[in-house]
Structure formats: C-alpha cells, structure tokens
Amino acid sequence: MGCGRNNRTLCWVFILFLCDCCVAQISYSVSEEVDKGTVVGNLAKDLNVNARDLQARNLNIVSGYSKKYFEANFKTGDLYVNERIDREELCPNTIKCTLKLEAILSNPMVLHRIEVVVTDLNDNAPTFVERSHSLNISELSPTGEHFLLPMALDADMGSNSVKTYRLSPNEYFSLDVQNGGEHSVSAELVLLKALDREKQALITLILTAVDGGKPPKTGTLKINVNVLDVNDNTPSFSKTLYKARVNENAPAGSSVIQLSATDLDEGDNGRLTYSFVKRANFNPSDVFLINAETGEITVKGDLDFEAQPAYEIHVQATDKGSSPRRANGKLLVEVIDVNDNAPEIVVTSLMNPVKEDADIGSVVALVTVTDKDGGKNGQTNCKLIGSAPFKLTSNYKNYYSLVVDGPLDREGCSVYNVTITATDEGTPPLSSTSIITVHVSDANDNAPRFMQPVINIYVKENSAVGASIYTITAVDPDINENARVTYSLLGDSKTIPITSVVNINSETGDVISLQSFNFEELKTFQFKVQAKDSGVPPLSSNVTVNVFILDENDNNPAVLAPYSEHGSVNSESIPYSAEAGYFVAKIRAVDADSGYNALLSYHLSEPKGNNLFRIGTSTGEIRTKRRMSDNDLKTHPLVVLVSDNGEPSLSATVSIDVVVVESTADIQTQFRHVPVKEDSFSDLNLYLLIAIVSVSAIFLLSLISLIAVKCHRTDGSFSRYSAPMITTHPDGSWSYSKATQQYDVCFSSDTLKSDMVVFPAPFPPGDAELISINGGDTYTRTQTLPNKEKVSCLPPKN
C-alpha cells in the first residue's frame, strides 16, 4: 500500500486495523507540565530492539491527538516529551489521565501499544464562583442552626483537589466541614451565639478552601451575614389630637393637614403606612384622601358646609413588619362656609323632536333654576348662549319656557345644542350651564331630485332580454319614509308602447329590457320616469330618458341584381381583343347594417395560374389586367367575395363565368358601356347626357327633401319604420340603410362617375368619423367635431 507524505500518519492508523501482526503494550508515567525533551522511557530497550535498527525499521509513533506530545530519538531509542502536557486540558474531571500511543516497526512489521500515564501536579488553586456571598439571618434564629456555604472548585484531581475549609475567627459562627467522598467536600455555618441586630447588624467572615497538594494551595470567599431585624417597637403619633380648617369650595387635591408618626425599628419594621378608620356609617375616604406613605390628607370629594360643617376623622399608623404594630390618632376638620353652590338647571322636555314646520312660539321645554345658597347667593339670572332659532321666556321667578323663535330646516340642521347659563348674585358669582339637545324631525318638504335633466342610455342591439340596461337614481334630502323613493314609467313613447319594451324596478330604479332590440328596425325611443317619495302627501319629479340602440354587425352583405340570385352562376362575355383595363362587370351589394358594419369591400378569386382579372376593392368593378393570349382559357370562372367591415366580418359570394368571344358582336349585356371615340355626337353621348341630367335631378330632389326634413324635425320625433335608402359612392360603391337620419350630401364634379354621396350625421351625440373611399380602392377616416352638422364634399380620385 502506498501513501503520500502528508497522509502517512493516517495510513499507519489504518494499518492498525488491517494488519494481523503481533501486538505488545508498554506503560510509562510522566508528570504534567514537564519540560520539552524530558525522557519518558527507552523504546529500544523495552522493545528489545537495537537502537541502530530503529531508523532502518522506520520507527513511527502514532497517536489520535491533535498535538504530537511524544517523539522517539532514533539514535538513543528514548521516548521524550515533544509538546507541553496539561493534564487538566487533556483529561478534565478525570481521576486517571492516560495517553494512548502506537509504536510501529517495519521489516518485519511489529506494532506496540504504549500507555503513558500523566500524573497530576498541584498547579491549580481552589476558586469560588463568586467573590462574596451574602446570608440573611434573623436575629431570632436559634443557636445550632446550619447555613449551607458555596463550594470551591479545583481543576486538579485526587489528592490535589479541595480537601477542607477554614473559617476566620468570630464569636457567632463555627464551620462544619462535610467530606462526601473523594469528589466532594462541603461546608456549613453553624450558629453558636444568638444574634442581636441592635448590637451588630453586619458580620463579615472569610471562608478559606484548602486543597491536598504539597504544599497546599488555598482560595478565599468573603461572607457577609446580614442580621435581620425583629419588629419589637410600636409606632407613635406626634400629637394625640390634630385640628385643621378647610374651605368648603376647596378643589380636589387641596392639602388639609400633614400627619407624622415614628417607629424605632428599621427597615419594614420601621416603615409606616397611614390609613383612615371607618367609624359607624361614616367613611372618611369618601371625602378625603390620605397618602399612605407620607400621611398627608387632601380633599377628595365636595365639601358642603350646608350639609356638614365639621368632620371627626380617626387615623391609624401601621408598620410593615411581619407582625405589624399600629398606633391610632384623631383629626378634627372644620369646614368654612363660602358661596360654593352654583345654580342648578332642570330641563323638562315637552316636544322633542320638534317638527321642522313647527310654528314660531311653540314650546319645546320647561326650564327650572334653583340655588341651595340663601340671600343674594341664591338669586339667579338665566339666558341662552349662542345663536339658535329658540329663545327663553320667563314664566314666574326662576321658571322659564324654551320656545321656537325662527324657521326650522332639518336638511340644513337636524340637531341643535341649546346652551343655557344660570348665574347667581354671590361674591364671587357662580354659574352653571346646561345643554339641551333639540332634534328636528323631518317633514316631507323635498321632492326627489334626479342628477341629470335628461338621461341617455346606450344599448347594443341583440342584447339579452331581461338584462338591466341602466340604473336610474333620484335622491331625496328628506329621511326615512319621506326619502324612500319608488320609480315608475310614465305614459308611452310616441312610436311604441313603452311597457312592452322596458320595465323599471320600483325599488332600485333598474331599467330592464323586455325585448331584444334590432337597430335596423328601432334606433331610438324616449320615455319618462317618475320618482315619488313615500311621504304624506307624496312628492315626485320626472326625468326624460332617451334610449339609443347601437348597431351590431348582424346582417350579411346582399348582392344586387343582376347577380343576386342565390346559388346561380352568372355569365359575362369579353372580346378576345380586349385591352388591359377592359370593363367586364360591376358587382353591387348592400348591407342592412350601418357605419363600418355596412362598409363593403370586394375581393376576387380566380383559378390557380390564371391572373387575368382584377376587381376594385371598394367599387366592385371587374376589369382585365392585361391583353388576352393564346394560352388563356376560353371560359374563366370567377368568385367574388363581398365582405363588410364589422367585427366579426360577414360576407357574401357571387360566381361569374367570363367567356372570351372572338368579336364584340357576340357580347350581350345590358350593363356595359364600351367607350367609342367619335368626333360626332353619337348615341353614347346622348345616353351620357341623359344620365347626367337624371343624376342632377335626383341630387336636387334629395337636397330639397333633406332641407324640408331638417326644418320640420323635432327632438321628440322618432320614427320606428322608414323606407330603405341605397347610397352610391363617388367610386361606384353602394351602401344601404333603413334609418331615417340627418344626412350630409356631397356631389362630385366628375361627369362620368358622379354619384350622390349621403353620409349620416353624428347621432347619438358624440364624435363622428367621415369615411372617404378613393380611387385606389382604400378608405380613410376623418374625425369631425362632435354634435356639429357639417357638409363635406369628397371629389373622386382617378
């Protein structure tokens, strides 16, 4: 087995458990604290080995201690001390201290156990845990009584430990040393003579602990014996009778007299406490206070000469001994008469609470003022303090009435604290104050009040039936029944029976929908709500409620004729010689929704690999992208997807088969206008002129109708049903609406693409957005100012 230099010792220890060699044991003895190099024994001799062979056989001393206390001399074979040996450190509280070593020889391997016994030196003196120790012993303790003393500690063991105790000479105590065996020696004080505290209150002794070393070492402890006093003296007052005078108006805490008593004893036996002695039915503690420590008597309660002009008080002084002793004394207190009785105010309520509509002069309470003093000290004046809608009227002498002196308003002030002051004519004058709390009861003088003059409610169409769409709240500054508000619907709307549309919770004011609203059929309606309190008689107020239905995207786009037949495939023809941009067909669609939900866009789907046609996203016009080629098909099936701009978007599709023909003579369609450049006035020009005149006439009629509607429209007129309106945009797109609204009308100057553009004005009030569709098949939004009717003209873009 190979081991490194640093682990050689561990390897040898490991060998001790693995090798099966012959083992022998050698014993040595060494005293602690010997010098380094002290020879313990000769290993060569004891191991029966030649000293010259020790190094050759690699003698090694192994131990399990943190320090290498012993080492071997290879030349002489001696085992010597290598480190300081402290027996108390190595073997604390142990009688025998033994160090275990192993001597290992190689070639052949031999293991020898070595036992080194460390003998103790008397190098530690006895010590006590505390420097001084106190004993409290009563002067009545009997002779022969034992008192246990603290033990001394000695780090040495055996004969060098504590063996006995000695006591300094004195006339009161002796020492009883008890030997409990090899490990413990204790000592007790024994009282030899009775103690007398008056002769000597403190006795100081010295206790000495002696160990068994040679020479012996000692340790000392100071013992203080405190002689406790016995209560053998009675307290004594300085006077047999004390006299004092005090004004009957003396405030609480005023000093009356200072008592004094003494006791010859000390400590608690001489410390006195003062107290009153209750006699018959009179307890002085009800009127006076006595300081238990100082004996000072002060005023506690009210002193009234008229009730009792003098007090005879018995006092007692008691010491704090275990068997207390006491002394009794007497005190006469004379009360000096003064004007010490303030007027007394007695209030008898007649009407509390007082109704807020009480008449002026109504009696609220009766007030009586009395004073126990006589003469001028008993004559009083009474008045009100502060401002309040009340006053005092004198009935007879010191009898008054508190009456209403002004209008009362509970909502302004529901509680009045009326302060009444009565003052006598004594010197100095005394006064008293009484506060009468007058509550004002409610009268139903306030009608319920709504927070808004008009309430606007916005409800999405298709909302759930039975849902609460708004909570109407009215407040009533009255209280209780006068403020309990109930709600009800008043009458019907001008267009619909309101009770079939909404209902209102009479207690909470929650407005409940009774049907699911359809924006396309009903956009707004109006009704009134009445809030009525429960007073007698009840008061009420009304509020107008406008309900605006908000559009939801719930209608699919509808394709107009001639492509409107569901499931059919439409056919269009184009000539083989058609140029790029050739007009094929125009898809028109409408959406029953409004706003962005009715803003339509068109998308074209062609067979894979065919890229011949395009469609205007906003116009729906299908045109060719390029000229025909021989590789193109003769029939092109197209699918047009029409989508609105709602969330989520709804759509419709239409299928068109475009057939390529050889000449224009084979083309049959009623919606196509082929531009022909002619110098003369042709039939096409005639048709264009008729179209321009027709569009202009329609525009003028629409403008006149719009002005007429604006002039005759009122805020309360709401139409439930209206004729549908189809609106064309400057780029050819159409929109559809059934609502009767305000419109902004624009007209384009482009003769070929002039369509009437109708934009609904902002309603309900709020910020509006103007939608502009340009020729590039895109649309933009323009924010307009709220609640302003504004006409904007959007010229079409090429």
Side-chain angles (χ1 to χ4, degrees):
M1 178 181 296
C3 298
R5 181 178 299 175
N6 295 333
N7 298 326
R8 182 172 299 171
T9 301
L10 294 177
C11 291
W12 285 118
V13 174
F14 185 67
I15 290 172
L16 297 180
F17 295 96
L18 298 180
C19 67
D20 192 13
C21 302
C22 179
V23 177
Q25 179 167 316
I26 303 171
S27 296
Y28 297 109
S29 177
V30 66
S31 177
E32 67 170 329
E33 303 295 346
V34 297
D35 297 333
K36 291 182 180 181
T38 301
V39 176
V40 177
N42 190 279
L43 290 176
K45 177 181 177 182
D46 295 331
L47 295 178
N48 197 20
V49 178
N50 195 320
R52 293 190 299 271
D53 296 335
L54 293 180
Q55 187 169 5
R57 296 187 63 182
N58 193 19
L59 175 64
N60 192 16
I61 305 300
V62 179
S63 69
Y65 303 103
S66 60
K67 295 180 181 180
K68 195 168 185 178
Y69 292 100
F70 301 96
E71 191 60 83
N73 190 323
F74 293 118
K75 295 180 179 180
T76 62
D78 291 334
L79 180 68
Y80 62 90
V81 176
N82 188 52
E83 291 286 347
R84 174 180 172 268
I85 300 174
D86 186 356
R87 181 189 177 283
E88 287 73 32
E89 179 182 346
L90 289 173
C91 309
N93 302 321
T94 302
I95 300 297
K96 182 179 180 181
C97 182
T98 303
L99 298 182
K100 303 292 185 179
L101 306 176
E102 307 293 341
I104 301 173
L105 293 173
S106 302
N107 302 320
M109 178 171 289
V110 179
L111 184 146
H112 297 274
R113 287 183 179 152
I114 303 173
E115 180 182 80
V116 180
V117 178
V118 181
T119 59
D120 184 36
L121 288 180
N122 190 23
D123 54 348
N124 293 282
T127 58
F128 289 92
V129 176
E130 50 188 352
R131 293 184 179 180
S132 62
H133 181 72
S134 296
L135 289 175
N136 296 322
I137 303 176
S138 173
E139 61 179 333
L140 293 181
S141 296
T143 57
E145 185 174 356
H146 286 63
F147 303 94
L148 187 64
L149 296 176
M151 290 182 62
L153 302 177
D154 196 324
D156 295 322
M157 301 300 293
S159 60
N160 294 327
S161 62
V162 177
K163 294 300 180 182
T164 187
Y165 293 91
R166 294 197 300 264
L167 186 66
S168 59
N170 66 94
E171 59 178 315
Y172 295 102
F173 297 96
S174 65
L175 193 63
D176 181 14
V177 179
Q178 300 173 356
N179 193 339
E182 187 176 359
H183 296 284
S184 65
V185 177
S186 61
E188 294 181 353
L189 277 182
V190 180
L191 183 62
L192 299 177
K193 180 180 178 181
L195 301 175
D196 186 357
R197 187 200 63 81
E198 288 73 22
K199 181 178 179 182
Q200 187 174 0
L202 176 63
I203 301 173
T204 302
L205 305 173
I206 301 297
L207 177 65
T208 303
V210 183
D211 64 19
K214 295 181 180 181
K217 294 182 179 292
T218 61
T220 59
L221 173 69
K222 182 179 179 182
I223 299 176
N224 296 317
V225 178
N226 299 310
V227 181
L228 302 181
D229 184 39
V230 176
N231 190 21
D232 53 356
N233 291 284
T234 301
S236 174
F237 280 102
S238 59
K239 295 181 180 180
T240 56
L241 177 65
Y242 292 92
K243 293 183 179 180
R245 303 182 67 193
V246 61
N247 293 331
E248 64 173 333
N249 61 350
S254 299
S255 179
V256 177
I257 194 172
Q258 175 73 54
L259 302 181
S260 177
T262 57
D263 192 316
L264 298 179
D265 292 322
E266 292 185 357
D268 288 342
N269 295 329
R271 190 174 295 114
L272 303 179
T273 58
Y274 299 87
S275 60
F276 289 126
V277 178
K278 183 179 180 180
R279 303 279 289 181
N281 60 349
F282 172 63
N283 187 359
S285 297
D286 296 336
V287 183
F288 301 97
L289 284 176
I290 186 169
N291 189 308
E293 300 295 330
T294 63
E296 182 184 13
I297 296 177
T298 57
V299 176
K300 174 186 177 183
D302 295 331
L303 300 179
D304 189 358
F305 176 83
E306 290 75 19
Q308 187 169 348
Y311 295 90
E312 180 180 328
I313 301 172
H314 290 263
V315 293
Q316 192 174 77
T318 307
D319 62 28
K320 295 183 178 181
S322 56
S323 298
R325 295 175 177 244
R326 58 186 57 86
N328 295 318
K330 183 186 291 186
L331 169 64
L332 294 178
V333 179
E334 180 184 356
V335 180
I336 302 173
D337 183 32
V338 293
N339 182 24
D340 60 340
N341 290 289
E344 295 180 0
I345 301 173
V346 178
V347 178
T348 303
S349 296
L350 296 180
M351 187 170 57
N352 196 3
V354 181
K355 292 185 177 181
E356 63 176 324
D357 56 356
D359 297 331
I360 295 177
S362 299
V363 178
V364 177
L366 297 178
V367 180
T368 302
V369 180
T370 59
D371 195 318
K372 293 180 180 180
D373 294 324
K376 288 189 175 182
N377 293 335
Q379 297 178 3
T380 61
N381 297 310
C382 190
K383 62 180 180 178
L384 294 182
I385 303 298
S387 60
F390 304 96
K391 69 177 181 179
L392 276 178
T393 59
S394 178
N395 297 333
Y396 174 76
K397 291 186 177 179
N398 293 335
Y399 297 90
Y400 303 88
S401 294
L402 180 66
V403 298
V404 177
D405 192 39
L408 302 177
D409 183 11
R410 189 205 64 81
E411 289 73 32
C413 182
S414 61
V415 178
Y416 291 93
N417 291 320
V418 182
T419 303
I420 301 176
T421 299
T423 306
D424 63 22
E425 297 182 3
T427 303
L430 299 179
S431 63
S432 60
T433 300
S434 178
I435 298 177
I436 303 175
T437 301
V438 179
H439 296 272
V440 180
S441 63
D442 185 44
N444 192 24
D445 56 350
N446 291 280
R449 184 175 69 256
F450 293 96
M451 296 293 99
Q452 301 167 303
V454 177
I455 297 176
N456 294 326
I457 303 176
Y458 301 92
V459 184
K460 289 184 178 181
E461 67 170 330
N462 303 322
S463 59
V465 177
S468 175
I469 61 176
Y470 194 80
T471 299
I472 296 177
T473 303
V475 295
D476 194 320
D478 294 323
I479 59 174
N480 300 329
E481 291 298 313
N482 296 331
R484 189 168 66 85
V485 179
T486 58
Y487 303 89
S488 60
L489 299 176
L490 284 183
D492 288 332
S493 174
K494 293 183 178 180
T495 56
I496 56 174
I498 199 62
T499 55
S500 65
V501 180
V502 294
N503 191 15
I504 188 168
N505 188 308
S506 61
E507 298 296 330
T508 64
D510 291 338
V511 179
I512 309 298
S513 63
L514 299 181
Q515 68 177 36
S516 182
F517 300 105
N518 189 346
F519 176 81
E520 287 71 37
E521 296 179 359
L522 179 65
K523 291 181 173 56
T524 182
F525 60 91
Q526 183 184 83
F527 59 92
K528 291 183 180 295
V529 173
Q530 183 182 74
K532 181 188 296 184
D533 61 27
S534 302
V536 179
L539 301 178
S540 64
S541 60
N542 302 332
V543 67
T544 299
V545 180
N546 294 324
V547 179
F548 300 103
I549 312 302
L550 303 179
D551 184 41
E552 290 285 307
N553 191 26
D554 57 348
N555 290 281
N556 291 75
V559 181
L560 300 180
Y563 308 107
S564 58
E565 184 176 352
H566 180 72
S568 63
V569 178
N570 303 279
S571 178
E572 292 288 346
S573 300
I574 62 172
Y576 178 79
S577 60
E579 298 288 339
Y582 183 83
F583 179 85
V584 178
K586 182 168 184 175
I587 308 301
R588 288 180 171 85
V590 295
D591 195 314
D593 294 319
S594 64
Y596 290 109
N597 296 330
L599 183 61
L600 304 180
S601 60
Y602 302 84
H603 306 278
L604 184 63
S605 175
E606 296 184 65
K608 188 173 183 181
N610 190 6
N611 191 20
L612 183 59
F613 301 96
R614 64 179 174 84
I615 189 170
T617 305
S618 59
T619 63
E621 290 185 356
I622 303 175
R623 295 180 182 272
T624 59
K625 287 185 178 180
R626 55 178 175 80
R627 288 180 58 86
M628 297 289 176
S629 66
D630 294 338
N631 295 328
D632 291 329
L633 301 173
K634 297 303 181 181
T635 301
H636 300 269
L638 305 179
V639 178
V640 178
L641 176 69
V642 184
S643 303
D644 60 26
N645 202 44
E647 290 291 341
S649 177
L650 301 178
S651 62
T653 60
V654 61
S655 299
I656 300 176
D657 288 344
V658 180
V659 180
V660 181
V661 298
E662 292 298 331
S663 64
T664 58
D666 297 331
I667 301 176
Q668 296 179 358
T669 178
Q670 57 180 331
F671 296 103
R672 184 177 297 110
H673 303 279
V674 180
V676 180
K677 295 184 179 180
E678 296 182 358
D679 295 335
S680 61
F681 189 81
S682 63
D683 291 341
L684 178 61
N685 292 336
L686 178 61
Y687 295 153
L688 292 176
L689 181 60
I690 293 174
I692 293 172
V693 173
S694 300
V695 170
S696 300
I698 293 173
F699 171 73
L700 291 176
L701 290 175
S702 301
L703 189 60
I704 293 171
S705 301
L706 211 67
I707 294 173
V709 170
K710 285 189 176 182
C711 293
H712 293 86
R713 182 178 60 83
T714 61
D715 293 339
S717 62
F718 299 101
S719 177
R720 181 178 183 183
Y721 303 101
S722 59
M725 179 174 288
I726 300 176
T727 304
T728 60
H729 294 279
D731 53 6
S733 64
W734 291 23
S735 63
Y736 174 84
S737 176
K738 291 184 179 180
T740 300
Q741 305 182 35
Q742 294 179 330
Y743 295 92
D744 293 339
V745 183
C746 297
F747 184 74
S748 172
S749 60
D750 192 332
T751 305
L752 294 179
K753 289 188 177 181
S754 295
D755 290 337
M756 181 176 64
V757 184
V758 183
F759 296 97
F763 184 79
D767 292 349
E769 291 182 336
L770 193 60
I771 305 173
S772 171
I773 304 178
N774 54 41
D777 297 339
T778 61
Y779 64 89
T780 59
R781 300 179 182 177
T782 304
Q783 191 76 18
T784 63
L785 295 177
N787 302 327
K788 292 185 179 179
E789 299 178 355
K790 183 175 180 181
V791 177
S792 302
C793 292
L794 304 179
K797 297 182 181 179
N798 295 328

